[in-house]
Amino acid sequence: MARVFSGIQPSGELHLGNLLGALVNWVNHQKSHDAVYCIVDLHALTLPKRPEELRENSLKLAQLLIAVGLDPDKSILFMQSHVPEHSQLAWLMECTVSFGELNRMTAFKDKSGRNEFISGGLFTYPALQAADILLYDTDLVPVGDDQRQHIEITRDIAERFNSRFGNTFVVPKHVIPPAGARIMDLQHPDRKMSKSETSPAGTISVLEDHDSITKKIKRAVTDSDGEIRFDSNLKPGVSNLLSILAAATSSTPEEVATGYSRYGDLKIDTAEAVIELLRPIQVKFRELESDPAETNRLLKLGSSKAREISSVTLERAMTKIGLLNA
Ligand code: AMP
Ligand code: TRP
């Protein structure tokens, strides 16, 4: 069975972009693949965090992921920092990637431009991400479109290591969903929906109440030509609504576009589809929220399963590079 691995940062709430761009795919993959999913709390440290905030966000994210449909009996779900192999392999990856390669990462440019304190970890972030992926002999990495560059650098690192030291790592491929790959901000459809962005009216949280979802979608920015068709360049606002409706109803934006002639109708149906998509997730989350000890127990089990796989890969890499005796 092919192995799937992906990770997500515990930095605030999950939004519709995370859900449609990545998590729906994670849930689907666990049916037919050997799936490993990681809450990347070490990556969260690349930007300053309050300890309480990090602790709470990590637990909440685990509960959200289970609520969305990740089944700890079917896939491995764990906290990155609880599996020390990730930081250990990350150093080997830092010494395999070049300064120039790291310097070309658009995520670094983006985040370093927006933050006052720029940690060394923010710069070497992709080396840790490569370690995450390569530790599990991963074939496929389901992520949103914004992670393309990070998966490409992971492939480059794996290929370089393999060619220098002999075959060690599986070279992974990314999987980007056709609809939902890039959900945009409802108020600024030229930029992606994001939890770090200060745009509450443009972002829909997975835990958002239903009235607020309807309001935000009704107020979503469109355009004035009155035509409903999918064209992200010329009609970013309308196309975003079509993408959301399509992803929420397992269709394509082009297909859903044919059913509408008025923006108002498109907005009402999009809001309804989003509410229906989120309803069961919200119910399940409230249940899990009342029993944090159970989530922590599941995460502990996840870490020990993850270590069984990652310790073997780390040892192989340490042997190949000359740190352990062959
Ligand atoms: P992040 O919230 O940046 O840690 O991203 C977690 C996952 O959600 C990654 O796979 C991203 O590619 C995906 N993602 C984040 N924002 C969006 C968005 N606006 N549209 C689609 N996918 C997204
Ligand atoms: N950089 C990813 C993001 O911001 C999170 C991440 C860390 C990840 N390690 C990973 C994603 C490994 C996929 C695989 O979304």
Side-chain angles (χ1 to χ4, degrees):
M1 232 196 288
R3 163 91 33 83
V4 162
F5 179 95
S6 199
I8 183 164
Q9 284 203 45
S11 40
E13 294 211 345
L14 279 184
H15 56 76
L16 204 56
N18 301 135
L19 182 68
L20 300 176
L23 301 179
V24 167
N25 232 350
W26 291 20
V27 173
N28 286 336
H29 275 106
Q30 67 183 353
K31 293 176 199 140
S32 49
H33 294 79
D34 185 0
V36 184
Y37 298 122
C38 178
I39 295 173
V40 293
D41 53 356
L42 295 172
H43 277 111
L45 294 178
T46 56
L47 295 174
K49 292 277 164 344
R50 282 185 300 109
E52 263 326 298
E53 180 193 353
L54 180 58
R55 223 185 318 268
E56 277 166 27
N57 284 346
S58 301
L59 176 67
K60 187 174 178 187
L61 181 58
Q63 292 166 334
L64 277 166
L65 293 177
I66 299 171
V68 162
L70 289 195
D71 180 349
D73 284 333
K74 283 193 200 141
S75 31
I76 300 179
L77 175 64
F78 71 102
M79 215 62 93
Q80 186 186 32
S81 65
H82 298 181
V83 177
E85 284 77 7
H86 287 251
S87 357
Q88 289 175 275
L89 186 66
W91 181 253
L92 273 55
M93 302 293 94
E94 279 184 48
C95 297
T96 306
V97 72
S98 75
F99 179 88
E101 283 169 315
L102 292 175
N103 212 20
R104 284 195 287 277
M105 293 291 115
T106 54
F108 173 72
K109 286 183 192 147
D110 199 35
K111 290 185 188 170
S112 59
R114 277 192 275 126
N115 291 283
E116 214 172 290
F117 179 78
I118 303 162
S119 69
L122 190 64
F123 188 67
T124 58
Y125 181 117
L128 177 59
Q129 182 162 351
D132 297 340
I133 298 169
L134 300 179
L135 275 173
Y136 297 90
D137 293 333
T138 303
D139 301 293
L140 301 170
V141 189
V143 280
D145 188 56
D146 59 344
Q147 291 300 309
R148 212 179 267 275
Q149 206 184 19
H150 284 154
I151 311 306
E152 268 157 26
I153 199 173
T154 299
R155 290 170 56 86
D156 292 342
I157 292 174
E159 278 165 0
R160 182 170 310 143
F161 195 103
N162 286 347
S163 78
R164 275 196 199 155
F165 306 112
N167 208 15
T168 312
F169 297 121
V170 173
V171 182
K173 291 195 180 73
H174 57 59
V175 197
I176 294 174
R182 205 170 258 269
I183 301 299
M184 310 309 280
D185 186 297
L186 297 171
Q187 290 299 316
H188 306 276
D190 54 329
R191 62 184 198 216
K192 66 171 190 166
M193 190 179 281
S194 157
K195 51 193 166 190
S196 50
E197 217 63 60
T198 43
S199 175
T203 306
I204 292 180
S205 152
V206 166
L207 296 178
E208 189 111 17
D209 80 71
H210 299 174
D211 285 348
S212 166
I213 295 175
T214 307
K215 263 189 214 136
K216 286 184 181 179
I217 293 185
K218 279 194 176 159
R219 289 183 194 153
V221 167
T222 50
D223 52 49
S224 56
D225 78 7
E227 203 189 330
I228 297 195
R229 70 191 153 82
F230 186 72
D231 182 338
S232 316
N233 289 330
L234 294 178
K235 298 175 68 65
V238 172
S239 301
N240 191 34
L241 292 173
L242 291 170
S243 297
I244 294 172
L245 180 56
T249 56
S250 312
S251 178
T252 66
E254 289 81 4
E255 238 165 59
V256 294
T258 60
Y260 295 93
S261 54
R262 293 177 23 201
Y263 290 176
D265 296 338
L266 172 63
K267 285 182 169 178
I268 290 169
D269 284 7
T270 305
E272 263 174 31
V274 170
I275 289 169
E276 285 320 308
L277 179 75
L278 299 185
R279 192 190 301 278
I281 298 174
Q282 296 179 346
V283 171
K284 177 82 184 164
F285 176 78
R286 298 296 166 213
E287 241 174 78
L288 292 160
E289 207 185 11
S290 63
D291 190 2
E294 172 60 8
T295 307
N296 284 324
R297 187 188 68 84
L298 292 171
L299 287 171
K300 209 168 165 194
L301 271 176
S303 305
S304 70
K305 288 191 232 165
R307 285 201 81 175
E308 277 173 28
I309 306 171
S310 60
S311 58
V312 176
T313 319
L314 177 67
E315 200 175 312
R316 187 165 72 231
M318 288 177 72
T319 307
K320 294 273 190 181
I321 210 171
L323 292 169
L324 292 177
N325 290 331

